[in-house]
Amino acid sequence: MKNKIFLTLIIAASLVNSCENPLEVTPYDKYGPEFVFGERKKAEEYVMRNYNVFPYGSSDSYGFNRLESGNSMIASASDEAMPNMPGSNVDILTNGSWSPSSSNPDNQWDVNYQYIRSANIGLENLDMLPEEDANLRNQLKGELTFIRAFAHFELIKRYGGIPIITKTLTLDDELNLPRNTFQECVNFVVTQCDEALPFLLSPDAASGGQLGRISKGAALALKSRMLLYAASDLYNGPAYAGSNSDLVGYGSYSKTRWEDAAKAAADVIALGYYELYKPSAITDASNDAAVKTNGEKNYADLFYTLAGNKELILIRTSAQGNAVEKKNSPVGYTNGQGTTNPSQQMVDAYGMLNGKSIADETSGYSPANPYNNRDPRFNVSIFYNGRTWSGRAVETFTDGLDNKITATNATKTGYYLSKFMKSGIVISGSETKTNHCFPIIRYAEILLNYAEAMNEAFGPDVDPQGYGKTARAAVEEVRARVLRPKDAALASVPTGDVAAMRSAIRNERRVELAFEDHRQIDVRRWKIGPETLGQSLNGIKITKTGSTFTYEPLSNVAVRVFEPKMYLYPIPKSEMNKNEALIQNPLW
């Protein structure tokens, strides 16, 4: 096992403390580019440094708590959760104090342009590798081309159209670069993925000893995500700000964009390599306990299982550790920090073990026993009152071990985040460690990308292009990982009902991809900011009397503000000052 993941650990651990370009820190009068690119080992190390473009936070919890030096998740800037500590910087994104001059905790402008520059340097110099290294040279070029596309994508999803840069700029170049149109930016990412594709490892080769390397599957998957975003309401129609600026969208609607997105997701599926991670098969057994146990294991294990996990398309891992467990364990556990508190809205999005929504009167949901017989993903993802963890029941009732009245860091919503954590890991005393894997792109997302695009392009129950599955079938495939096949069926969605399927897909995406950096972008591209990011978060107040618990809804535990300008991030004022050709995003 150790040998199988060595490359991933090199990428994520040994190089993470420096995103510096060696050509930027090595004096040109001492070493030239040939010092780095003329020798196989140095050239490969150069490219590996650029893998740090993939989101990470503190050095021991890559991806998971990537904001505020590892203390916050971007989930806390959405309706998924809130931070447990008052005065968190992530609140800037939700309380209305955001501006081009403020310190945006998720500002990605400068860091991504650093990687774009670094990728350009590599692409311009890799031909220095000897001819006997031609295969490696081509692979490294493919990886840097992908990284350059990924960095542009990370900017586009936050800022809309941005300056596309494909060469190493010097002081002799024109540095006042205008933004490219949104359409040009989308086309660039798609073209870059296509150009990288022939030179990247196949998905099966990018496993085992090559685990962590960018693969053909990653290129097709990024293309899928880019085209899905581009087809969405925020861009595929009139601009959100009352103008048709081509910097922030297409200006008019085209169904063809959904068709393109469906084809891109179908291309990933057609590779025939990826599959949902589900080592414990779920049948139509009548034993609810067995279904619940298997469903929980299937979902929980995929986030720290590396070997043989064909769901992982693009990942960020770290050296073995327990920082994820420490940062997210309830505060009543020694060393537990409880940094992320899921909202009641997020909790209510999870359905029941029978596949029905809690709003369905026939679901069996009981407000007096709200956590019984819920979707196994709920039990994996949320620390709720009474859940067993590390030898005791979690106590989030008022003045319980994990919700002391005097504790400033106690949960604000009645919940803590548990997704990504491995049961049995010890975080105090004789501590133990485990692998962790933050999924940048995984196969479940591709199935949901496919379902969303197919539904919008063709409807929920037809496959006119012969891709092999309908939108409904793709969603039900995801649900069947944790539910009985009959319960995974979307029985509440009438045949051919696009709107009902749209709602089902959005909720399935919310639940399946919870806390994985999707939600705050998804609700923006769906153009539903006011009813999601703009709604105050709710929680639960739990009172214990003897052995009886009573549950009282709590409203407005976090007041949130959303204005139309927030559909896209503001370009930082410091960048506007440096580049006079930039145009600020609408309404900022």
Side-chain angles (χ1 to χ4, degrees), residues 107-119:
N107 174 31
Q108 295 291 309
W109 189 276
D110 55 348
V111 67
N112 278 287
Y113 274 116
Q114 288 174 23
Y115 283 110
I116 290 169
R117 175 178 174 80
S118 188

Side-chain angles (χ1 to χ4, degrees), residues 185-442:
C185 289
V186 171
N187 292 345
F188 176 76
V189 171
V190 169
T191 300
Q192 291 288 283
C193 290
D194 288 339
E195 289 181 1
L197 191 65
F199 306 111
L200 298 171
L201 293 175
S202 63
D204 56 336
S207 60
Q210 295 290 312
L211 184 63
R213 294 301 280 260
I214 298 165
S215 68
K216 295 180 188 296
L220 291 174
L222 179 60
K223 179 178 176 179
S224 164
R225 189 185 285 182
M226 182 75 268
L227 289 174
L228 181 81
Y229 284 17
S232 301
D233 292 351
L234 183 61
Y235 311 108
N236 192 11
Y240 63 91
S243 70
N244 281 332
S245 169
D246 58 8
L247 297 178
V248 299
Y250 292 103
S252 61
Y253 174 81
S254 173
K255 187 166 75 73
T256 300
R257 296 186 185 111
W258 285 115
E259 295 171 0
D260 292 342
K263 171 65 166 57
D267 286 344
V268 183
I269 297 169
L271 289 173
Y273 176 83
Y274 298 109
E275 59 188 30
L276 296 175
Y277 185 77
K278 47 182 180 180
S280 303
I282 296 178
T283 67
D284 281 309
S286 59
N287 187 335
D288 282 355
V291 173
K292 178 175 177 291
T293 297
N294 288 346
E296 289 179 14
K297 182 173 178 57
N298 285 342
Y299 191 65
D301 288 5
L302 81 90
F303 299 107
Y304 47 79
T305 302
L306 299 176
N309 189 341
K310 292 186 177 182
E311 181 164 350
L312 305 176
I313 299 176
L314 186 65
I315 58 176
R316 184 82 198 219
T317 70
S318 64
Q320 287 197 342
N322 59 16
V324 174
E325 285 74 20
K326 286 182 178 179
K327 288 181 183 297
N328 294 294
S329 287
V331 297
Y333 294 85
T334 301
N335 291 333
Q337 300 171 33
T339 58
T340 302
N341 299 165
S343 67
Q344 188 66 46
Q345 287 97 323
M346 185 68 240
V347 168
D348 291 346
Y350 292 95
M352 303 294 288
L353 189 62
N354 58 22
K356 297 180 179 181
S357 163
I358 67 169
D360 186 331
E361 293 181 355
T362 67
S363 69
Y365 173 75
S366 169
N369 193 9
Y371 312 130
N372 192 41
N373 289 326
R374 298 292 291 271
D375 184 320
R377 290 172 293 190
F378 168 74
N379 297 301
V380 169
S381 302
I382 309 292
F383 279 126
Y384 54 86
N385 188 63
R387 179 183 166 184
T388 300
W389 184 259
S390 292
R392 69 166 174 86
V394 172
E395 297 184 358
T396 56
F397 58 85
T398 300
D399 218 26
L401 289 174
D402 304 300
N403 194 12
K404 290 291 184 182
I405 294 174
T406 56
T408 59
N409 62 343
T411 175
K412 303 300 183 290
T413 62
Y415 305 101
Y416 294 97
L417 174 68
S418 64
K419 187 174 178 176
F420 312 118
M421 297 171 60
K422 187 174 183 178
S423 178
I425 296 301
V426 180
I427 62 172
S428 64
S430 299
E431 298 183 11
T432 57
K433 300 178 180 181
T434 186
N435 296 315
H436 289 100
C437 170
F438 189 83
I440 298 169
I441 309 177
R442 60 184 175 97

